[in-house]
Amino acid sequence: MRRTLAGVALAVTTMVALSFLIPLALLVRSEARNQSITAAEQRAAAVAPVLALTTDPPQLREAAFGVDPSDHLSIHLPGSRLIGTSHAPPALLARAEHDSESIAQTIPAGWDYLQPVVLGQGRVAVVEEFVPHSDLTRGVAASWCVMAVLALGLVVGSVLVADRLAARVVRSSRGLSRAALALGRGDLDTRVEPLGPPELHEAGLAFNAMADRMLELLATERELVADLSHRLRTPLTVLHLAVERMGPTADSARITAAIDQLESELHSIITTARTPLAVGPMGLNLRAPAARRRPLLGARAPLPADCCAAGEVVGRRAGFWSVLAQQQDRACEVTVTPEDAPVELPEDDLAAVIDALVGNVFRYTGPGTAFAVRLERAAQSVTLTVEDAGPGIPDPDGAMARGASAASTGLGLDIARRAAAATRGSVHIGSSARLGGARVVVTFGLAAAPASGRVPRALRRRRRGRRRDD
């Protein structure tokens, strides 16, 4: 943008300078020529009174030297006598003597002026004043150089001023752009200092107002989520009491375990909603309490809060859903790779993906419908596959839209898509060749397991981005 504004200033100033310089240069040259011609005519006219008094050559030569020491003035006396050096063509000189009229004409060597003087008895003397080309353009080159220097200074000055103004605009625009990117990455505390022209100043104020309003809306929404989650504790308490009245049976134990799990999740949701806002790649809270970021058991090296061991998370969540699958007589197949499969997602985000996809199977297929969960690791990715024996998904492309309600789809696909995008992965929906129903494949980017306190590459990029923004 700075180059563009500087180029515009250069072009405009150059055109304005040329529009004034060209006519002014022509005027200077014409004025210098007119001044030289006028001075020559005055010198020739000054010799005429001397001819009226005397025609003595020595006296005339002395008078001519006094008027024009440069020896450009000559006198043609009757009888072809000449005082000085003549430059006029013979035909032009004969015409001046015959017509007794002043003649001014440009000749190859310069400009020549002939002034006839009548001496009486039909005799005519001609005073000739010659002006060479150097005298006709005297001072023109110097004037043109001065004007060129002034024009160049004007152009350079205008470009510098435009560049300074553009730098101010660009600085304000870049600050606003960096703040917008930081806000998009989840730094809700980002604000800009309104600078620059009035338009950008107003844009900065509007950005700050937007960020404040968005923070208020998110806080209100999180309070609403916490309140709604808290209201669910009452029916859970009722269920606890109902299970206690059932007595110690296998069914009551499974129901109690499910109620405890649900109560634990509700407690986590309420705790997370009450913590300060910090939006992560999926729009979830990154400032969760330490209890939510518990170390993963069996991990070879501690993972950062932004990473988790996919195998352990999938195994744990699949174990939860397998209990519900037994109650509905569903065949459940769980296959988890024994290799380390770290992904650049918090444990809660990955668990939300698994719960959403498996939950869709329970929601949109009838009891007794088999399903399978498989986690595989490749060289650069981790693949989570959830497939079922249900009716499948008639419109896979439309199923990716948030809020779709076809078979084996819904909000879960949107959660999976955002989680995969956060790790440079993808989501593919198709048909299961093995079970005959829907097949959802979620690919996550593989995170390098940190050794001796190393930080994953994505987290390092995010931290560097925050430092540059600061």
Side-chain angles (χ1 to χ4, degrees):
M1 186 175 181
R2 291 178 61 180
R3 291 183 179 179
T4 301
L5 293 178
V8 171
L10 175 63
V12 171
T13 310
T14 301
M15 288 189 294
V16 172
L18 290 177
S19 64
F20 281 96
L21 280 179
I22 294 176
L24 187 59
L26 297 177
L27 179 62
V28 168
R29 187 178 65 177
S30 176
E31 186 65 21
R33 179 183 178 88
N34 291 336
Q35 288 181 0
S36 299
I37 291 174
T38 300
E41 292 176 350
Q42 291 176 353
R43 289 193 295 269
V47 179
V50 179
L51 285 171
L53 297 176
T54 180
T55 58
D56 183 44
Q59 294 181 0
L60 292 176
R61 185 175 293 106
E62 183 179 356
F65 183 79
V67 173
D68 188 1
S70 61
D71 195 24
H72 290 159
L73 190 146
S74 60
I75 302 174
H76 299 267
L77 296 174
S80 301
R81 290 180 297 171
L82 175 64
I83 298 174
T85 304
S86 176
H87 297 83
L92 187 63
L93 183 60
R95 176 184 166 189
E97 291 178 356
H98 182 268
D99 297 338
S100 299
E101 294 180 358
S102 300
I103 299 176
Q105 184 172 335
T106 300
I107 60 177
W111 182 83
D112 204 20
Y113 176 71
L114 301 178
Q115 175 66 52
V117 178
V118 179
L119 301 178
Q121 299 178 358
R123 295 181 305 163
V124 177
V126 178
V127 179
E128 177 187 354
E129 176 67 19
F130 170 72
V131 181
H133 284 300
S134 59
D135 290 347
L136 290 174
T137 58
R138 181 176 299 169
V140 173
S143 300
W144 285 3
C145 290
V146 172
M147 289 188 293
V149 171
L150 292 177
L152 182 61
L154 177 64
V155 171
V156 173
S158 65
V159 171
L160 291 178
V161 172
D163 181 72
R164 291 296 89 200
L165 294 176
R168 185 184 177 193
V169 173
V170 169
R171 184 165 55 251
S172 303
S173 302
R174 288 178 176 173
L176 189 60
S177 175
R178 285 195 297 267
L181 292 175
L183 186 65
R185 288 192 296 265
D187 187 0
L188 300 181
D189 297 329
T190 297
R191 298 296 183 272
V192 298
E193 181 181 358
L195 297 173
E199 293 79 5
L200 288 178
H201 187 274
E202 293 179 2
L205 294 177
F207 176 86
N208 291 339
M210 177 196 68
D212 293 337
R213 180 57 178 164
M214 185 174 65
L215 197 62
E216 294 175 2
L217 293 176
L218 288 175
T220 302
E221 183 180 359
R222 289 164 61 80
E223 288 294 331
L224 179 61
V225 171
D227 293 341
L228 292 176
S229 302
H230 191 273
R231 289 168 61 183
L232 292 176
R233 286 183 169 177
T234 299
L236 286 177
T237 303
V238 175
L239 289 176
H240 266 298
L241 296 176
V243 171
E244 290 178 359
R245 288 196 296 269
M246 292 174 58
T249 63
D251 291 337
S252 64
R254 287 196 298 269
I255 295 175
T256 301
I259 293 174
D260 292 340
Q261 179 67 26
L262 181 57
E263 189 170 11
S264 175
E265 292 297 327
L266 285 177
H267 178 72
S268 299
I269 293 174
I270 294 173
T271 304
T272 302
R274 297 295 186 183
T275 55
L277 289 172
V279 180
M282 292 180 59
L284 303 178
N285 187 19
L286 290 182
R287 298 181 186 175
R292 294 285 287 163
R293 295 180 177 177
R294 54 187 177 274
L296 302 176
L297 298 177
R300 296 184 180 179
L303 294 174
D306 284 359
C307 294
C308 68
E312 297 181 4
V313 178
V314 172
R316 184 163 56 250
R317 299 312 302 160
F320 168 78
W321 286 105
S322 62
V323 175
L324 299 180
Q326 291 177 6
Q327 297 177 3
Q328 296 187 4
D329 296 327
R330 295 176 181 267
C332 176
E333 178 184 346
V334 179
T335 304
V336 179
T337 176
E339 300 180 80
D340 290 339
V343 295
E344 295 179 357
L345 278 177
E347 179 182 344
D348 296 337
D349 291 356
L350 183 57
V353 174
I354 302 168
D355 292 343
L357 296 180
V358 179
N360 279 340
V361 175
F362 279 77
R363 178 177 299 179
Y364 298 107
T365 63
T369 303
F371 70 96
V373 179
R374 185 169 64 257
L375 183 73
E376 300 172 316
R377 170 179 169 168
Q380 300 294 332
S381 63
V382 177
T383 303
L384 172 66
T385 304
V386 178
E387 51 189 346
D388 58 59
I393 301 177
D395 183 14
D397 294 333
M400 292 301 296
R402 185 180 179 91
S405 57
S408 298
T409 186
L411 182 61
L413 292 179
D414 183 70
I415 296 176
R417 178 187 58 80
R418 290 186 289 122
T423 62
R424 305 174 305 280
S426 62
V427 176
H428 176 72
I429 303 175
S431 300
S432 174
R434 190 161 58 91
L435 298 180
R439 182 173 183 265
V440 181
V441 179
V442 184
T443 303
F444 303 100
L446 182 66
S452 65
R454 288 186 58 193
V455 181
R457 184 172 59 256
L459 183 58
R460 291 200 302 271
R461 285 199 299 269
R462 285 196 288 271
R463 290 178 177 176
R464 285 199 299 268
R466 296 191 187 103
R467 288 197 294 269
R468 285 195 298 269
D469 293 340
D470 294 340

